[in-house]
Structure formats: C-alpha cells, structure tokens
Amino acid sequence: MSVFDAAKQAAQGLVQGVVQGAMEKLVPLAPDSWIPGGVPDPLIARKHGLIGKPVSRLDGVHKVSGTAAFAAEYRFDGMVYAALVYSTIPKGRIAAIDSAQAEAAPGVVLVMTHHNAPRLNPMPMFGSSPSAVGATDLPIMQDGVIHWNGQPVVCVLAETQEQADHAASLVHVTFDETPAVTSLAEAQANGVEQGQFMGAPLLDEVGDAEAAFAAAPHRVDQTYRTPRHNHNPIEPHAATLAWIGDRLVIHDASQMVTQQAQNMAQIFGLDPEQVHLTSPYVGGGFGSKGLWNHQVIGAAAAKLAGRPVRIALSREGVYRVVGGRAITQQRVAIGAKADGTFDALIHTGLSTMPPHGTMPEPFILGSQAMYGADTMLLKVEVGRMDTLANTFMRAPGEAVGTFALESAIDELADSLGIDPVELRIRNEPEKDPIKGTPFSSRHIVEAWRTGADRFGWADRPETPGSRRDGEWHVGMGCAMGTYPYYRMPGAEARITLTREGDTVRAKVEIAAAEMGMGTATTTAIVAAERLGLPLEQVDIAYGDSAIPGAIMAGGSQQTAAIGAAVIAAHNALVEELLKLAGNDSPLSGASADEVGSEAGGLARLDNPDAKETYVSILARAQRGDLSVTKAGSAPLETMHWSMHSYSALFCEVRVNAVTGEVRVSRFLGSFDCGRILNPKTALSQFRGGIIMGLGMALMEETQLDERNGRIANASMAEYHLPVHLDVPEIDVIWTDIPDPHAPMGAHGIGEIGITGVAAAVANAIYNATGKRIRDLPITLDKLL
Amino acid sequence: MSLFVNGAQVPAPTDPRVSLLDHLREGLHLTGTKKGCNQGACGACTVLVDGERILSCLALAVQFDGRQITTIEGLASEEGLHPLQAAFIEHDGFQCGYCTPGQICSAIGMAAEAQRGVPSHVTDDLGGTITLTREEIQERMSGNLCRCGAHNGIVEAIQAVLVEGVPA
Amino acid sequence: MNPFQYARADDAADALRRGAISGAAYLGGGTNLVDLMRETIARPDQLIDVTGLPATIAETDDGGLLIDAAVRNTALAEHPAVRMRYPVLSRAILAGASAQIRNMATVGGNLLQRTRCTYFYDAEGARCNKRTPGSGCDAREGFNRIHAVLGASDACVATHPSDMCVALAALDATVHVDGAEGQRTIPFADLHRLPGDQPDRDTVLRDGELITAIALPALPTGARSAYRKVRDRASYAFALVSVAAVLQLEGDRVVDVRIAFGGVAHKPWRATKAEAALRGQTITQQVVLDAAAAEFAEARPLRDNAFKPALVARTLAAVLTDLARGEAA
C-alpha cells in the first residue's frame, strides 16, 4: 500500500485510531512536505487579523432573547407528545403489559410496545462503520428482552404531554427477571478482559515496568477510584420529528448531526437522503447528545400513529436512556530515583461496560504522553455489568485518568520532598514516550513557569495542614492536564460567494454541531481571514444533515476538522476564481498558490498590487455566485507527530476544620493548546471544563444501586452539579504558541479544561489538611 | 380566567395540570423559558411574576389568574436588548444558551430583592443594608444551574449592569 | 400527574369545606406538592389553592409573632422582626432551597414537605413504605447517606428535609390548625412524627386539617440564636445535617439552651438530652461534644451515614461556642 492509498483509506475511515496501526510505520518516514499540515498554515503567520481578537459569539442575541429554537421547541401540525415507561429490572423479559387503562385514557393516540412497534434494523454501533454512532446495537422495542434497569419498554402518544404522562403512569408492566451482574465485585469475579478502544487494545508496554518499579529506590503505589458520572446538560434530550411522505424530518439535539441522520436511515431502512436532521442549537452535550433509544422510539411511534411526535425525555428519563461515564478503579505505581526521575510508570486498572457496549473508560490515554519514564505499563481492563451503555463524557479517559496519575505524582513529590511542579518538569519527555514520534508543539514547561508565577505558587505551605484562617485550613495543589489533538476524516466545507451589488457575501456550510463551544463564531473568524472579508460579510451554516460531509463535535477535533475542510474549499475556490478571472485580470497567469485573499479579493503574493476583487471577477464572468465544496485532507499529521494539548493547573482550597466542607477559593489554568482563535469563547471553554472538573472533584456521582443496577439519584436535586457559589473566579492564561502542524496552528479545547482538575483539587486538599483522598468525589465526610 | 404574559392578556389552560412552564412553551409558543429538570432543581424555567422570580415548572398555570408574567421574550424593548441581555453577550455569560433565559430573569428578580433589602444566606448582618458583592450575587444566583460553566461570565455581566450600572 | 379539579379557596372556611372531601389536598407554593403529583406519588383529585388566604405576620400580646400559613418563605425571612429577634429562623429559611423557591413556598407548605429519600421518589422502581405502605424499604440497605441516625424504624429511615422546621423546633413554635373537629394548636415538636410502623404519615394532622398559622413565643431577653447547615455544595442543596440553637447565658453559665438538629431523623430533632446536659454548664468544646454524645447515644447509623453524629456534634460545638462568644447573629 502506498502512502497515498493509505491516506485515502484514512479519509474513508471515521476514526483515525483505526487506521493508525497501518499508517504509523509509513508516515514517520515521509518528509514533512508530504504531510498535510507539514507546510504550516499561512494563517499562522498572520498576526494582525481577526484571529486572536475577542469576538462575541454570533448567536448570542438569539440565546439571550429566547429566540434560539432548541429541539423540543419545533412544532408540526397535528403533533402529539410521547411519554415512556421504563424497565424496573436489570435483565430478563417482559412477561406482560397491561395497557388497557392507558389506551382508554383521554387524549391517548397510541400505546407502542414490542408487540406493535414497526420492525427496525439494529442501531449501528460505534466502530462498526465510519458513520455508526450508536452506543449499542441492542434491539429497540423489538423483542421484550430487558438489558438494563431503565430500558424503555412502552411509549405512549397523546394529544398533550399531560395526557401522555398520565397514561404512561397507568401502564402496568410485569417482568420475568433473570440473574444480572449489577455490582463491580460480581463483574470482577466473572473475569475481566483487555479493554479495546477505537479498534486497538488499551495496553502500552515499554520495557519491564514491574521489575523496574520493584527495583526503584523510591516508590508510590496506590489505588484511586472514580464513580460513574452523568453529563447533565441543562437541556434534556429531545427530538421533534415527522414523517413527511417517505421522508423523516428530525429536529434533534445532536453533536453528530450527519451521522445520526445516516444511522436513522439505516435503522428505518431508508436511503440517507430520506432523513433530514437539523440541530442548530444544542443545550449542552459533553458527549451525551448522540443517538439513543428515544429518537428511534419517537420515529417508530410517529410512523405507527401517522402523527408527528415530540419526544422530550424527562430528567429522570435522561438518566435512564442516556449513558454516562463508567466507574474506574485505577492503580498508579511510580518508581523513581532520588532526583525524582521515573524508572517506572505503571497505570493500570479496571472499568466497566455492558455486554452490549463498546466503550471502556480509557483512563490511560493521558498517561501515554505526559511523562518520560524508562519503563511504562499502561493497561485498561474491563468488567461487564448489566447496565445502560456508558459513553463518551468530556475527556473520556483523561478526565478520570489524570486524577489518578496526577494524585500519585503529588504523593511521590511529597515523599521525595521535591516541589511537585519541579518534579513534573524533571520528567518532561523529549519525544512521545510510547510512539517515539516528535512532539509537534509542546510548551508545558513554559506553562508551568508562567502559571506558578502568576498563581503565587512559591507561597504554598510547605507542610501539609500548616495554614489556617479561622475555621478554615488553607492549601494549594497543582496538577497537569492533557488531551490529544485529533482530526477525524470526513469533513467537508462548501463556500459560496454571492455578489450583492458592489459587495460580496460568503457563506460557509459545514456539517458541524454547535453546543456553545463557539464553533460557528470561530469558523466565521477563520473563514473571514482566509477570504479576506470582514466578519460581517461571512455567514456560517451548520447543524443540518443536508450540508455535505460529516463532522462530529467530539474528541475536541471539530475545530481542526472544519479548519482543514475550509482550507481545502478555499484553495478550490481560489482556483475557480482564477479560472473565472481569465486573461483580462491582473491575476492572469497566476496559479492558486501564487495568490492570496486580501481585502475582498485576490492578490498576487509576489506583487500585491496585482489584484482583483471577488465582485469584479464575478461580474466580469457574469456570475451571481460561485460555490465550491471540498473535503479536508487526510489527517496524517497525528501519525507523524505526537500532538497534544497541555495544562498546568493550580488550585487553592479552604477546608472547614469543623465540618469538612471544601471551598475552592482560587484556580488558575495555564494552557498550551496552540494558537487561540477567539480568546472570548476560548476562555469560556477552559473555564467550563475546569468547573466540570470541580464538580467531579467534590460532588458528582451517579449512584448505581448494586442490588438491581438502577440509578438511585436520577435527578438534578440529588446529582449535585456546582452552583454559582461553588465557583470561584477562574483565572486562565495560555501560551498562544501555534502548533505548526495543525490548521490555523490551533487545537480544539473543549476537553482539555476538565483534565487534571480533580487531582489539582485533591492535591490542594492534601496540602490543606494532610489528608489524601483517593476516592472521588471528595465529600466532606471523607475529611472529618 | 386569564393571565398576562409580557403585557398581553392570554387565556389560562383548561387542564389544571398544565404548569405555567408548559403553558408558556406549548400553549403560547413562548419557548424562551426553558425546561431543564421540571422538578425545581435547575432554575432554567425562572420567570418573573409581578416582578418576583419563581420557577414556572412548579407552578400551575391556573394559579396565576390576573397576574403579570414576564418571560425572556418580554425583556427587550423597542430600543433594543435589555442591558442585562447585552451584558450576557459582552461578558460571554453562556455557552449553549439553554440556562440563559432563566439566569437573566433570575438576575432581574434578584436585583429587586436586593433593593428591597432581602438578606441572603451569606449576608453577614441581618439588620444591615444589602450590597451586591460578588459572593452575594453568587449565593443569590445559585438556584440557576449552568452546566457549560459560564458562571464567571454570568456574575461579571450582572455586576456590570446591576452593580456598576454600566450598560454593555 | 393524575387529573384533578382545581379550586381557589376564598378564605379558611371555604378551604376547610372543600378540603373535607376525601382525596382533597391543599396547595401552597406547590414547590414540593406539584413535583410529587408529577411523580404520581401524590394523587389528589381535588386541589385547593390556599395561597389566597391571609398572609400576615402579626405581633402577639406576649411579645411573640403569629405567622399566617400562607406567608411566603421569603417574606418571613426578610421580615424585620424575624431578622432582629429570631435570626435562627431567618437564617434557616435563607439556607434552604433557592430564592425562586423561597418566593413561592409558603410557611404552611414548608412544614408539610416530604422526604428527599431517592427511593421514596422512584415510584416505579423502588420499594418504599412511606410511599406504598408494606412494600418494603430500599434505603435501609441502599444509598442512605442523607438518611436518619435517630428515631428511625425498620420500616423507614427517611429524614425530614426542611431547614425552617429545624429552627421552629428550637424556637418552641406552636402550630395552629383548623379542621372538621375545630381549631387546635400543636406544639411544634409534636407536629412531625417518627416513622414507627406508619411511615406514610409524616405528621399528626388529621384528614382535611389545614395549617392556618405558626405562633412564635417571645425569646427570653438576652437569648441568642443561630442556624448552621452543612451540605454537599455551597448552596441549593438539602442539609446533610443542620443545627438550630437558642442560647441564654448568665455570666458564662447556660441558663437555657434549645437545640434542634436537621438531617438526622424523620422529624426535626429536638435535642433534649443535649440541652439537659448543657444547662448550668460553661460552654466549652468538650462540654458540647459530651452533650451531643448523650443525644446520639442511641444513634443507629446506616451504611453511608455513620459520619453524622460526629458531624452534628462538631457543628453544634461551633454554633454554641460562637453564640457564647456573641459572634453569631
């Protein structure tokens, strides 16, 4: 296979990890110029444009006015409302469904069960094809078999939501229960297996780490535990949908718009073009706004009833139907020399997933590239439990894995008497510790130094438990965070220039999702810069399956995926413009790479006075508009370089000596994430991740009742998220050093924020109290 | 029986089960008021009733005969956005935007409470006057959850408009 | 939510007449009842809105206050007389829920709010003797961090979630009720029940009875009061434990002390043993911890809540020490 064949194949795969094995032997040998991204994006060099200037989000006025329409806010004529009934057992079969009362209740249009549901194809399970995004491929209301406690078993449609909810409460379902595995201990006793993630085993070995650890003069060897988590976007999952002829129209809340449309088509035996899915606004996702049972049930019920349907999950319903982050139990063992450098780094442990799942929480991902060590052993094993399928939740793997690793490093620093910032710097790797590839852009030491200086790290109490302010113990801690740079193939961009009198507008269409990350705004900024147009003349369209290409708001890769597609489309646009310009243009004879976009037109790079505006080119060619669509290049850059984002995190906590209550009083995140495109929305992304990390550190836990596999706290009153009073003013700084191998020099920043935060808090609590808590969340009872 | 929403007289629902929230969203098609938990645990459904902030999900619409209800749709005027709406944009007091209408309505209600002298959990002196410090704002806004983590921007927007009186 | 008929009561007599029908329920702020109806845990077929009844806070002849049941929580917390003379009550209310909920919730409704036990709330999937008598209790062997350590029964280990009620218990309030059998007053400590074998009954109220007012007696001159709540996040969370205390000193000796705990029992827990142990003593950390130990001598912790007795004891020590120093308000 040639590199080009491999690149083509990569472009056809959804997930670069799948093809990585085939590619990594070939690509590192290739010269830089072969590699897409190997020639730095010219935008990186442009310092005085829109990039890096704070821009308010373009959809802001709709969001503050209440005019932004979310999934459950669309309407169809004749629409009915859905309510679900859920299984109350973890495993078995439906014995009987008594729905007579419900069917007779006022307003009821349909009671759908596995007896009358339309026959459906299985949900395409993640990893089974490039576009598959289902968390499982279990039948949905097809056979009466129960796989988890909370599985939807009946759907009621009625004229109003009140009628549907009431009728659902009248349905009586009985079950034949069979033995289920609902406790971690049982799952372990049944035997664990090697975890697989993105088609590869979660196992990395460099040398004989156990032997090196045993021989090391200084050792830390501890077990850390993290509970289940739920994403808890404030918008509950919902879809408003209708069958119009043989087409299915879905207004969904989706962070994988095109893929979900394709998957729904597959489930209902339709051509992809027959499903139109829109999702212009998503009220928070964090990994959860994907394809779950409810959209399928809603569409099936709509088909059966011949009526449009609104299926809006109750908050409890979200916990029952939409999976969260799995539990982990992690061992971190570090063997070090007296100077603190690592002889051995071992990070192993256990996560869980259901028999029908595909997602072991990959908590070693961060450890793959954070530190150099002579030997390493990283391994995730998985036990099977009969639960709802767990899924991706903000920084899957890194969020919880960094809690363990970065707590252990703090423990080692403490036992060695070395400052924990210094210890980390001493273990900086020179190249990727596992793959051996060079780092594309790694400036974490600079982030540590500037962060420590700004935070006042030198003022940290040297002795744990030594600083007191009235009733409060005060302490400081730090931790490192990391998240890889990804770029998934499949992204396309369509750029359309439209002449409006003596001006021009550009429309950029991308099949992306916007959940508040600021994607639409940064895309507009980048497109405006590339096109040489003011921001006001650029429109962005997204969140619609009719737009070509497939982009996913996941893996913090959307910005890069869009960026590469826009580069490709822009290049194609320039070529088309030059063709239209013809011989009468000052640009005559120039090739696409000899011109640049400036001030509403094109100019020769070697002679900027040789230029022509878009308006002029289009007018002379008697064209009203010009449209090109192009896919981004294959994402080969991550095979050539080790590409990651990094953070140095500093936390000050106050722990009440009487009650054990913890208050985070100060927090600083010092980030190294390439070039920051829009400081205003980037700041919110970093802070948002950090705040979710504070919740994870101190209060968040999905309580799975191990007796029956049912989530006990399926409510926002009992699952605690941080409130305003829990959140200090969070200081954020960044290196702003462009990654020369990434489009725009930028990295996605949606997930890096949460990584490392729980450890920074735990380490600060140790510094404040002398108590080391290795079991999240750190609730006050653990500190009494 | 009727209620007044953003100044307009509208009918109450015939089914007394309909919450004020669902009446706004489904009956009147005013979907700016958001449903986050439908159980009084998130604050996304906050509206103002006769100027006082409440949770519309726990309120039955039939209870509000003759009352003046203000939702996010009723805040802007012909001159443009309410200063707090503009400040939320300027200070990036949101990401996904779903909790935003509730946060904004809640902040307006909070300002009236503070002006009236209502103390809070973090007020040191129950007999004193109220100053909307950062901590006071945080406590008083704690009934409005935000999962995106826009808390800092929200507090800054509120400070800018309600404390410093600076229109954005 | 089951279908029901809604009526707005013109006055107490109207409310009582309507409320005498079986299946009727009184609706205050709705902050708990509407939620319970949505979960089909409460299934009234007549809902009588009593928020239009008088809502005044009046001075009484003996120097106390008479608070109408329809007074909103915010109105009570912000009332100057409450802030000045009963800070424990203002503080307790302000520590509860959120501003929006306090604006809605009535005093009478607050007294009748039901437990936050997650198994009580899971109407479809969990066993609960409080919700469905005789079905069993999933909390006893399940997640029970927020559950009772005192006064629980085999049938029920739930706690009462109110903050305000803990203060009212410490203030020796009296509850005025009206019903088919006429008006009566109930000492606050007797309003809520321990679960025993009837955990479905939270209070001693009879069918159709309506809480009309709460009477607060005057506090002794020089008495100081305080409320402290301990919870899993800084705000907008139910108490893990809470302490309400009223302290009267003569010199540095305790003349009288009234203490109530939240989050430890099926009702606001009046700590009479601790009170007895403290009378005549000088407040020190150890004296208070010993008094608390006396109160918790019969505590029966569950899997997840063994930390509560010590946490309450430490919190009580801090509250009383501050009050003795004159620091808390």
Side-chain angles (χ1 to χ4, degrees):
Chain A
M1 191 195 303
S2 74
V3 170
F4 292 108
D5 289 339
K8 201 170 154 196
Q9 187 177 328
Q12 287 162 350
L14 171 67
V15 178
Q16 61 197 52
V18 178
V19 295
Q20 192 152 320
M23 291 301 302
E24 63 191 5
K25 288 184 178 62
L26 294 168
V27 178
L29 303 174
D32 276 13
S33 58
W34 280 29
I35 308 298
V39 178
D41 182 350
L43 267 196
I44 292 172
R46 194 177 304 177
K47 299 293 182 200
H48 301 292
L50 282 166
I51 291 179
K53 303 279 187 305
V55 176
S56 292
R57 54 187 77 235
L58 300 176
D59 54 9
V61 71
H62 297 294
K63 288 177 175 175
V64 301
S65 306
T67 53
F70 291 83
E73 296 165 2
Y74 286 83
R75 314 191 68 79
F76 290 105
D77 288 341
M79 182 179 79
V80 291
Y81 294 80
L84 297 176
V85 179
Y86 306 99
S87 160
T88 56
I89 63 158
K91 197 173 182 183
R93 294 192 71 87
I94 296 171
I97 297 174
D98 177 0
S99 59
Q101 260 188 298
E103 280 164 42
V108 170
V109 169
L110 173 72
V111 176
M112 186 176 82
T113 70
H114 65 282
H115 296 301
N116 60 345
R119 294 303 96 184
L120 304 172
N121 297 318
M123 188 182 277
M125 184 155 74
F126 191 83
S128 65
S129 81
S131 68
V133 291
T136 85
D137 56 0
L138 289 174
I140 298 170
M141 280 198 192
Q142 299 292 298
D143 56 9
V145 179
I146 302 302
H147 299 273
W148 78 88
N149 198 328
Q151 179 181 328
V153 291
V154 178
C155 174
V156 178
L157 298 184
E159 300 290 345
T160 71
Q161 189 69 58
E162 289 77 16
Q163 291 170 333
D165 289 342
H166 173 58
S169 77
L170 300 175
V171 176
H172 189 62
V173 185
T174 51
F175 300 95
D176 290 331
E177 199 169 347
T178 53
V181 179
T182 53
S183 78
L184 187 61
E186 278 175 278
Q188 280 180 282
N190 289 343
V192 297
E193 59 199 85
Q194 172 64 50
Q196 304 277 330
F197 185 65
M198 305 271 194
L202 287 162
L203 173 64
D204 297 293
E205 290 175 279
V206 178
D208 186 344
E210 291 287 4
F213 174 72
H218 298 276
R219 282 174 298 198
V220 162
D221 189 352
Q222 293 290 351
T223 299
Y224 304 85
R225 291 180 173 83
T226 64
R228 295 172 181 81
H229 296 132
N230 273 76
H231 312 74
N232 276 306
I234 303 294
E235 178 202 26
H237 296 60
T240 304
L241 47 86
W243 292 89
I244 297 171
D246 61 356
R247 292 177 65 245
L248 175 61
V249 178
I250 310 172
H251 300 294
D252 204 343
S254 170
Q255 52 190 104
M256 40 201 88
V257 176
T258 307
Q259 296 87 342
Q260 278 182 223
Q262 292 170 353
N263 286 198
M264 287 293 279
Q266 201 169 326
I267 292 165
F268 285 90
L270 305 170
D271 292 331
E273 302 74 39
Q274 287 174 277
V275 177
H276 184 201
L277 190 147
T278 78
S279 181
Y281 294 98
V282 181
F286 318 111
S288 75
K289 289 274 169 70
L291 182 59
W292 298 94
N293 273 24
H294 64 282
Q295 297 105 322
V296 178
I297 290 170
K303 193 174 184 186
L304 198 55
R307 299 277 294 271
V309 165
R310 170 164 297 155
I311 182 158
L313 293 179
S314 67
R315 181 54 62 176
E316 181 194 347
V318 177
Y319 285 90
R320 304 270 176 249
V321 172
V322 179
R325 196 197 299 279
I327 195 169
T328 74
Q329 194 171 287
Q330 307 172 48
R331 175 192 177 212
V332 179
I334 305 173
K337 302 182 184 70
D339 67 358
T341 55
F342 299 167
D343 293 329
L345 173 57
I346 298 171
H347 188 176
T348 58
L350 178 70
S351 183
T352 66
M353 64 183 193
H356 49 87
T358 58
M359 170 68 188
E361 183 71 19
F363 52 77
I364 60 169
L365 294 182
S367 305
Q368 289 173 341
M370 286 170 81
Y371 299 106
D374 294 340
T375 65
M376 289 174 79
L377 172 62
L378 313 175
K379 183 178 172 73
V380 176
E381 290 181 308
V382 61
R384 301 279 182 169
M385 287 177 68
D386 293 307
T387 60
L388 168 61
N390 55 295
T391 192
F392 302 87
M393 177 166 163
R394 203 171 202 166
E398 292 86 353
V400 289
T402 51
F403 166 65
L405 177 64
E406 292 297 290
S407 292
I409 287 179
D410 201 67
E411 299 202 43
L412 180 68
D414 190 60
S415 70
L416 288 170
I418 298 175
D419 180 277
V421 171
E422 184 57 32
L423 178 63
R424 288 176 170 90
I425 291 173
R426 285 185 196 176
N427 285 285
E428 259 297 283
E430 286 176 9
K431 56 184 183 180
D432 188 288
I434 305 287
K435 292 188 285 183
T437 45
F439 290 113
S440 64
S441 178
R442 182 174 172 121
H443 309 280
I444 180 63
V445 173
E446 180 180 332
W448 275 119
R449 301 272 190 236
T450 51
D453 190 44
R454 185 174 170 105
F455 189 75
W457 179 250
D459 185 40
R460 183 179 80 123
E462 250 181 61
T463 311
S466 63
R467 186 168 295 173
R468 189 80 181 252
D469 177 12
E471 254 185 21
W472 298 87
H473 299 290
V474 183
M476 296 185 198
C478 69
M480 180 172 163
T482 188
Y483 194 81
Y485 165 96
Y486 289 119
R487 183 160 71 84
M488 297 178 192
E492 294 179 28
R494 177 159 61 206
I495 304 179
T496 304
L497 287 181
T498 303
R499 191 156 57 88
E500 292 179 354
D502 58 358
T503 182
V504 72
R505 289 197 75 77
K507 183 177 186 184
V508 179
E509 295 169 274
I510 43 168
E514 164 72 285
M515 306 181 283
M517 308 87 81
T519 306
T521 309
T522 52
T523 301
I525 290 169
V526 170
E529 279 297 282
R530 288 209 194 282
L531 291 163
L533 289 173
L535 195 55
E536 299 73 33
Q537 280 169 243
V538 177
D539 300 310
I540 304 294
Y542 58 93
D544 188 326
S545 66
I547 296 173
I551 309 178
M552 182 186 296
S556 290
Q557 62 83 48
Q558 187 168 252
T559 300
I562 294 169
V566 171
I567 288 173
H570 178 247
N571 288 342
L573 181 77
V574 170
E575 281 178 23
E576 290 301 313
L577 284 165
L578 289 175
K579 278 187 215 161
L580 290 183
N583 294 332
D584 299 335
S585 169
L587 302 167
S588 172
S591 65
D593 54 6
E594 290 169 338
V595 299
S597 293
E598 281 294 341
L602 299 178
R604 290 191 71 110
L605 293 174
D606 58 357
N607 175 16
D609 291 335
K611 61 186 176 185
E612 184 170 16
T613 65
Y614 301 131
V615 172
S616 167
I617 296 171
L618 291 173
R620 198 171 60 255
Q622 295 182 304
R623 291 284 293 264
D625 55 42
L626 173 64
S627 189
V628 297
T629 303
K630 198 78 180 170
S633 59
L636 302 185
E637 63 271 31
T638 51
M639 295 162 203
H640 195 101
W641 288 281
S642 180
M643 299 179 76
H644 304 266
S645 293
Y646 310 96
S647 64
L649 305 171
F650 299 87
C651 177
E652 180 189 85
V653 297
R654 299 162 69 83
V655 181
N656 193 280
V658 175
T659 62
E661 289 164 293
V662 179
R663 300 283 180 265
V664 175
S665 45
R666 291 199 298 134
F667 203 100
L668 166 71
S670 176
F671 290 88
D672 176 41
C673 304
R675 190 175 191 191
I676 296 303
L677 301 173
N678 182 359
K680 185 175 279 195
T681 51
L683 175 62
S684 293
Q685 279 284 67
F686 290 131
R687 281 175 164 170
I690 289 168
I691 292 164
M692 199 176 278
L694 297 181
M696 177 180 144
L698 298 176
M699 62 190 79
E700 291 190 34
E701 175 175 9
T702 305
Q703 297 174 334
L704 186 90
D705 196 320
E706 291 209 325
R707 295 169 298 179
N708 60 8
R710 191 167 177 87
I711 294 171
N713 60 336
S715 136
M716 289 182 106
E718 270 70 42
Y719 183 111
H720 289 137
L721 311 180
V723 298
H724 276 288
L725 195 56
D726 291 301
V727 178
E729 189 167 2
I730 291 167
D731 196 8
V732 175
I733 56 176
W734 47 74
T735 61
D736 210 22
I737 301 170
D739 184 336
H741 307 296
M744 295 89 69
H747 291 185
I749 55 170
E751 300 178 79
I752 176 75
I754 191 175
T755 70
V757 174
V761 175
N763 296 341
I765 289 171
Y766 174 75
N767 183 248
T769 64
K771 294 191 173 95
R772 176 69 63 185
I773 309 300
R774 303 184 182 92
D775 188 6
L776 295 182
I778 307 175
T779 49
L780 60 90
D781 46 302
K782 295 173 184 170
L783 294 168
L784 287 176
Chain B
M1 190 187 266
S2 60
L3 31 127
F4 295 86
V5 178
N6 301 327
Q9 188 168 0
V10 297
T14 49
D15 184 343
R17 291 179 295 188
V18 178
S19 67
L20 180 57
L21 173 62
D22 283 329
H23 189 50
L24 291 169
R25 285 172 64 86
E26 302 294 340
L28 306 174
H29 303 183
L30 289 171
T31 55
T33 307
K34 301 305 181 195
K35 184 185 282 191
C37 71
N38 215 26
Q39 58 187 167
C42 79
C45 66
T46 302
V47 298
L48 299 164
V49 176
D50 298 328
E52 196 159 70
R53 53 179 168 164
I54 66 153
L55 298 181
S56 61
C57 77
L58 294 179
L60 300 175
V62 288
Q63 290 180 280
F64 293 87
D65 186 23
R67 308 283 295 277
Q68 294 284 346
I69 292 143
T70 306
T71 71
I72 191 73
E73 290 95 340
L75 295 182
S77 65
E78 281 176 14
E79 289 93 70
L81 295 177
H82 185 286
L84 202 54
Q85 290 174 309
F88 266 63
I89 298 174
E90 174 60 27
H91 294 271
D92 214 33
F94 55 90
Q95 288 200 278
C96 78
Y98 199 78
C99 74
T100 312
Q103 301 274 1
I104 292 173
C105 287
S106 187
I108 291 170
M110 174 191 70
E113 289 161 14
Q115 198 157 28
R116 203 169 79 211
V118 180
S120 86
H121 174 60
V122 298
T123 306
D124 284 333
D125 177 7
L126 283 181
T129 54
I130 302 301
T131 307
L132 281 182
T133 60
R134 182 181 182 85
E135 188 188 26
E136 282 279 5
I137 293 171
Q138 288 177 286
E139 160 60 17
R140 290 164 189 266
M141 290 298 294
S142 281
N144 291 85
L145 301 187
C146 169
R147 186 52 156 171
C148 295
H151 305 79
N152 286 179
I154 293 167
V155 171
E156 285 162 21
I158 292 170
Q159 281 181 312
V161 175
L162 300 181
V163 182
E164 292 149 28
V166 183
Chain C
M1 201 182 285
N2 276 21
F4 59 86
Q5 291 190 318
Y6 169 87
R8 195 169 170 83
D10 301 327
D11 52 34
D14 184 34
L16 286 171
R17 193 168 55 247
R18 295 172 184 276
I21 303 160
S22 170
Y26 298 114
L27 174 68
T31 55
N32 190 210
L33 182 57
V34 170
D35 190 24
L36 292 169
M37 289 167 64
R38 200 169 273 143
E39 300 289 337
T40 69
I41 295 163
R43 293 182 297 272
D45 38 44
Q46 304 279 331
L47 205 53
I48 300 141
D49 185 344
V50 292
T51 55
L53 269 52
T56 58
I57 299 170
E59 298 281 348
T60 59
D61 295 342
D62 60 357
L65 292 177
L66 187 68
I67 303 153
D68 284 334
V71 168
R72 307 282 178 170
N73 281 195
T74 300
L76 183 56
E78 72 169 306
H79 194 278
V82 179
R83 287 156 75 171
M84 291 301 95
R85 284 147 51 190
Y86 306 95
V88 61
L89 182 55
S90 259
R91 292 287 184 198
I93 294 169
L94 296 171
S98 69
Q100 291 95 313
I101 292 173
R102 296 192 294 270
N103 285 342
M104 301 173 79
T106 63
V107 169
N110 189 309
L111 268 51
L112 299 180
Q113 67 180 298
R114 309 207 68 190
T115 185
R116 300 305 306 186
C117 173
T118 57
Y119 300 102
F120 171 72
Y121 263 86
D122 186 2
E124 294 80 28
R127 299 177 304 160
C128 173
N129 289 318
K130 181 181 281 299
R131 174 169 33 78
T132 312
S135 63
C137 171
D138 274 341
R140 179 164 276 287
E141 308 293 331
F143 290 103
N144 45 37
R145 190 159 176 272
I146 63 168
H147 288 71
V149 291
L150 289 171
S153 67
D154 287 344
C156 183
V157 293
T159 49
H160 194 265
S162 167
D163 290 296
M164 187 183 87
C165 288
V166 182
L168 292 174
L171 288 169
D172 280 335
T174 305
V175 183
H176 292 228
V177 303
D178 205 345
E181 294 163 52
Q183 300 180 349
R184 61 176 179 137
T185 57
I186 304 169
F188 197 85
D190 297 339
L191 176 70
H192 297 98
R193 299 176 65 255
L194 290 179
D197 56 6
Q198 280 190 295
D200 54 314
R201 291 187 57 218
D202 292 349
T203 70
V204 299
L205 290 182
R206 299 166 189 149
D207 285 349
E209 268 187 331
L210 175 70
I211 295 173
T212 56
I214 313 284
L216 293 184
L219 286 187
T221 312
R224 301 171 189 146
S225 71
Y227 185 76
R228 185 156 173 178
K229 176 176 183 175
V230 184
R231 46 187 157 177
D232 272 329
R233 63 184 175 192
S235 188
Y236 200 19
F238 290 94
L240 283 170
V241 302
S242 68
V243 170
V246 181
L247 180 66
Q248 189 187 5
L249 297 177
E250 210 169 79
D252 62 357
R253 277 183 50 254
V254 175
V255 177
D256 193 23
V257 63
R258 289 183 252 158
I259 300 165
F261 300 145
V264 299
H266 194 257
K267 59 187 286 187
W269 187 265
R270 185 67 186 263
T272 51
K273 288 176 191 150
E275 291 172 7
L278 288 167
R279 280 195 199 94
Q281 303 274 347
T282 300
I283 298 290
T284 66
Q285 175 87 5
Q286 197 53 52
V287 163
V288 180
L289 292 180
D290 290 345
E295 193 66 49
F296 285 101
E298 288 170 31
R300 294 286 176 270
L302 304 163
R303 184 187 77 187
D304 301 333
N305 69 3
F307 64 93
K308 281 189 174 181
L311 176 58
V312 174
R314 295 156 68 113
T315 307
L316 178 66
V319 167
L320 292 181
T321 311
D322 284 352
L323 281 178
R325 279 203 302 259
E327 283 185 2

